[in-house]
Amino acid sequence: MPMTRRQVLASGAAAIAGSVAKPAIAAKEPIPIGYLPALTGPSSSTGVGINRGIQLAVQEINAAGGIDGRQIELITRDTQSDPTKAVNGAAELTRGQKVSVVFGPVNSGESLAVVPLLARTNTPQVHPCWVDSLTDPKKYPMCFRNAPTNQQIGGAANGYVVDVLKHKKVAVVSDTTGYGTASVNAYVPMLKAKGADVVYQGNVDAANPDLRPELLRMRSAGAEAIMPWSVNAGFLSRIINTRGQMDWDVPIVGQTTLGSGQTQALLEKPDYWAKVYPNNFRSVCYAADGKLSDRTSAFLDRLKSAKIEMGDTLLWWIALGYDSPRMIAEAMKAVGTEAEQVTGYLNKLKEFGGVYGDISFTPDRHDGYPDAEVVMVEANSLKEGAFKVAPGYGA
């Protein structure tokens, strides 16, 4: 049917109005942020805890109006503890979803594969993975770590074994993941530099149901301490259980997951958790007076109000997850959502006040966690996801 002149004019006016309205609508569209946690699979203990903090922070940010009126849209791809799935997820987030920034992966094995990919796509990335090579401002100028490095973690654990416990004969063991093998490769030279004798060194399949032969080799070699490096709660619990079954009274010192609620749930006897000393972080540990800092105590109250489960995880995982989108949101509120703007802001970040710790970056240093916050704790002092600092380590 032919259109009248009035209809043509009305149609044209509507088209103009529509074209004018679109930018205003677009300005209020959600901001897509990519998220690559391991929520399932053998290395999921970290991701499960971090995810609880992430979800709480995003809810709070959006409830407060988002970023300049725009809501955060968290686009999640479960890596399933698999580097290949992590790479596929990262490719989908950057090419298909066109996210503004990516948080994660949360395990080093997946990040080793993902960091170079995100660098090639010029996507800003924040991750909490410890393997030293996972930040390099020259190779990966948009990648930032809001957690400690292997050097910081290994320095604390090795120092506790050699300087505090006074043990020189050490067994170092890990699973066969990228994180596990990289940790052994990093920590053995550090131990030797401190004068320790590494009497056993090995990478063992985390699915191995019988670790007794490995622990027998450690004992036969004269090991005075066992240092395991893995985020797999099943693997770590089997080491602890086997030591108990052997009635072998040596300390176990190492990865934070040694103290997780998931590891505790897999122990054959509660007594087996004695003389187990994981890494942890002063900001989320009990002080000598048995209290948490005011900042952390207030955060714990919010977790309780939100009915967030803490019994099967660690407070630092939740706190790290909570801090991460808040740090990203702070950058976007200040400078916008473009990759170069976010990167430029993070390059000058000074003591972002997180529950997990105060984070700072410079253009030449993308490792933001302070050395003094890395401590050792008593696993069997676990209470509401937090610990007492280990004996002899200082208040």
Side-chain angles (χ1 to χ4, degrees):
M1 180 183 297
M3 295 180 68
T4 67
R5 182 173 182 274
R6 181 176 294 177
Q7 288 171 324
V8 170
L9 291 173
S11 176
I16 292 170
S19 66
V20 171
K22 282 181 180 178
I25 294 170
K28 297 301 180 182
E29 289 178 351
I31 298 171
I33 292 179
Y35 176 35
L36 290 169
L39 299 176
T40 56
S43 301
S44 61
S45 54
T46 306
V48 168
I50 289 174
N51 187 59
R52 292 174 189 169
I54 287 268
Q55 298 297 334
L56 177 62
V58 170
Q59 289 171 15
E60 289 184 356
I61 293 166
N62 285 341
I67 299 170
D68 295 331
R70 298 174 66 186
Q71 299 282 282
I72 289 176
E73 182 182 2
L74 196 64
I75 302 177
T76 305
R77 295 295 180 266
D78 180 6
T79 67
Q80 300 177 45
S81 309
D82 183 334
T84 300
K85 289 183 171 61
V87 167
N88 292 340
E92 183 183 352
L93 290 175
T94 54
R95 296 171 189 165
Q97 301 295 331
K98 301 196 182 300
V99 298
S100 299
V101 64
V102 169
F103 176 69
V106 301
N107 292 325
S108 292
E110 292 111 86
S111 276
L112 285 165
V114 167
V115 166
L117 184 154
L118 293 180
R120 289 194 296 272
T121 61
N122 293 318
T123 304
Q125 178 189 14
V126 177
H127 71 71
C129 304
W130 296 350
V131 170
D132 296 315
S133 62
L134 286 173
T135 57
D136 184 328
K138 292 182 179 179
K139 289 173 65 177
Y140 314 126
M142 292 186 174
C143 177
F144 298 83
R145 182 191 341 243
N146 64 334
T149 66
N150 259 349
Q151 294 298 308
Q152 291 171 297
I153 291 293
N158 292 346
Y160 191 68
V161 169
V162 177
D163 301 329
V164 178
L165 298 180
K166 306 296 183 184
H167 295 316
K168 293 294 182 73
K169 295 184 176 181
V170 183
V172 183
V173 62
S174 78
D175 59 28
T176 54
T177 63
Y179 166 71
T181 55
S183 296
V184 169
N185 291 340
Y187 298 156
V188 166
M190 292 170 66
L191 279 165
K192 291 180 178 178
K194 291 183 70 66
D197 181 10
V198 179
V199 297
Y200 170 98
Q201 176 180 339
N203 307 108
V204 182
D205 186 345
N208 188 336
D210 183 10
L211 298 179
R212 188 177 182 87
E214 301 301 326
L215 268 74
L216 286 171
R217 291 187 187 98
M218 297 176 195
R219 188 166 68 177
S220 297
E224 299 168 338
I226 303 171
M227 300 190 73
W229 298 101
S230 172
V231 298
N232 187 310
F235 178 70
L236 295 173
S237 66
R238 286 194 294 278
I239 291 174
I240 299 171
N241 285 333
T242 303
R243 180 197 64 165
Q245 295 160 4
M246 293 168 57
D247 197 24
W248 188 21
D249 190 29
V250 293
I252 297 177
V253 182
Q255 222 276 345
T256 60
T257 310
L258 283 166
S260 76
Q262 289 181 326
T263 301
Q264 180 188 33
L266 295 170
L267 298 182
E268 295 173 354
K269 296 180 181 179
D271 291 349
Y272 286 176
W273 230 13
K275 296 182 74 171
V276 175
Y277 305 109
N279 284 109
N280 213 269
F281 307 97
R282 195 181 300 278
S283 57
V284 287
C285 286
Y286 296 104
D289 61 4
K291 296 180 180 179
L292 296 169
S293 70
D294 290 344
R295 182 190 297 178
T296 306
S297 182
F299 178 62
L300 193 60
D301 288 342
R302 287 208 300 286
L303 295 179
K304 291 177 181 177
S305 296
K307 297 182 179 179
I308 292 176
E309 175 62 37
M310 289 173 284
D312 62 345
T313 188
L314 296 174
L315 183 57
W316 84 262
W317 284 334
I318 303 175
L320 168 67
Y322 181 77
D323 291 342
S324 298
R326 291 173 55 244
M327 186 175 75
I328 293 167
E330 179 181 283
M332 290 180 170
K333 286 178 181 178
V335 298
T337 62
E338 295 299 319
E340 292 78 9
Q341 296 171 328
V342 172
T343 301
Y345 183 89
L346 293 178
N347 271 329
K348 299 176 183 178
L349 188 68
K350 182 71 173 176
E351 293 186 354
F352 169 80
V355 178
Y356 174 51
D358 294 343
I359 304 297
S360 300
F361 300 117
T362 70
D364 299 320
R365 182 174 174 80
H366 288 185
D367 298 323
Y369 201 77
D371 292 348
E373 293 296 294
V374 184
V375 297
M376 306 306 296
V377 297
E378 293 181 277
N380 59 5
S381 70
L382 177 64
K383 178 185 175 184
E384 294 182 322
F387 301 87
K388 297 178 183 177
V389 174
Y393 202 82

